[in-house]
Amino acid sequence: MLARIENALEPHDDLDIDLEGGVLTLGCPDGTKIIVNRQAPNREIWVAARSGGFHFAARDGAWRDTRSGEELFASLAAIIAAQAGVQADFG
């Protein structure tokens, strides 16, 4: 999943992308970071961004936010757009 996100974002030169040890770090043009990482014991993917922390669990065939139910890629695209000004397409 993290490699899929990394591959989708590689064309965006505005982002500094680093995937290491199960942690994907996205460096934004303004110096802030978005962190996406696996939480294997919980079977979740966590996202930390300026807008907050989000936990995603596999439900109904997709990774869904444990609070809002929003799908991971839709949520991540909105977070990246708001924080980095980059339009990500995970299609």
Side-chain angles (χ1 to χ4, degrees):
M1 187 63 66
L2 297 178
R4 178 178 171 191
I5 295 168
E6 178 186 33
N7 291 336
L9 296 175
E10 278 184 351
H12 298 284
D13 294 333
D14 292 345
L15 296 174
D16 180 24
I17 304 166
D18 181 44
L19 176 58
E20 190 172 320
V23 178
L24 178 66
T25 303
L26 308 176
C28 302
D30 65 359
T32 62
K33 295 183 188 301
I34 299 168
I35 310 293
V36 183
N37 68 314
R38 298 178 314 191
Q39 291 294 315
N42 299 339
R43 295 188 176 129
E44 294 181 343
I45 295 174
W46 291 2
V47 177
R50 184 172 52 208
S51 58
F54 307 90
H55 298 184
F56 296 85
R59 289 193 320 221
D60 304 324
W63 288 94
R64 302 232 171 245
D65 186 302
T66 58
R67 290 184 202 149
S68 71
E70 188 172 2
E71 193 271 330
L72 170 65
F73 292 114
S75 181
L76 192 55
I79 290 167
I80 293 169
Q83 188 165 330
V86 170
Q87 299 302 313
D89 180 13
F90 297 104

